[in-house]
Amino acid sequence: MGLRINRETEAAALAGERRNDAAPGRIEQARDLLRDATGSMRHRGDSDFTVHGANSSASNNQYFDTTFRALRDHVDVGTKLHGESRLNSGPESLEDVLAEHADIVEAIRERRPEDARREMRHHLEHSRDQCLGGSVLGLRMR
């Protein structure tokens, strides 16, 4: 998850700086798939992957886009665990995820790269903490 946090927060900031006029619409279309799933009380990893992929594409950094797509299996496992934990937490939890995505999209649309970076970091760290029960693994070498 650390790789995603570092890579996707930077991709979101770059999207806020570099995006073209079409990128926010593509991100919003992907987010709408997530909204539909949320309205049906479902978590769909494919729609979440599409939103994050559209953010990566909007960064106009082919390395970020390619590496994100290469991480598909890793992302799928994380979104499955995250989705299950959110569904078990009740309907408001899925709404929170949708709101987090909306904040990221808004920051990119309004060309606020630092806000996009902060919102993406918050979203991914929140997801990680939800999956790990609020604890962070101690990874310090001894």
Side-chain angles (χ1 to χ4, degrees):
M1 189 64 164
L3 174 64
R4 284 193 65 199
I5 290 170
N6 288 305
R7 197 203 61 72
E8 289 190 57
T9 56
E10 191 58 27
L14 289 173
E17 287 177 24
R18 299 177 176 174
R19 63 124 178 120
N20 63 16
D21 291 339
R26 286 192 296 271
I27 298 168
E28 289 167 357
Q29 283 179 325
R31 188 214 45 223
D32 289 346
L33 295 173
L34 196 60
R35 177 179 286 135
D36 292 344
T38 299
S40 301
M41 282 303 300
R42 292 178 294 137
H43 182 271
R44 291 190 44 195
D46 60 333
S47 58
D48 191 70
F49 184 85
T50 302
V51 170
H52 286 267
N55 286 331
S56 285
S57 293
S59 74
N60 198 31
N61 181 318
Q62 287 73 25
Y63 178 74
F64 282 170
D65 198 32
T66 301
T67 57
F68 182 73
R69 295 189 192 298
L71 291 171
R72 177 74 192 241
D73 291 341
H74 169 76
V75 172
D76 285 348
V77 169
T79 56
K80 182 175 175 21
L81 291 172
H82 178 246
E84 289 173 3
S85 69
R86 291 298 186 140
L87 285 170
N88 292 333
S89 297
E92 64 282 345
S93 187
L94 285 177
E95 292 290 337
D96 289 345
V97 172
L98 186 60
E100 290 171 5
H101 284 98
D103 291 342
I104 297 163
V105 172
E106 180 180 335
I108 291 170
R109 184 181 349 100
E110 294 179 1
R111 295 189 187 276
R112 294 183 283 120
E114 290 307 315
D115 291 343
R117 177 183 282 121
R118 184 186 68 248
E119 295 299 340
M120 182 63 81
R121 179 170 292 281
H122 167 77
H123 168 63
L124 292 171
E125 288 178 347
H126 190 213
S127 296
R128 177 202 60 204
D129 293 349
Q130 185 88 18
C131 288
L132 297 176
S135 65
V136 178
L137 299 173
L139 299 176
R140 182 173 295 196
M141 295 176 75
R142 299 188 195 282

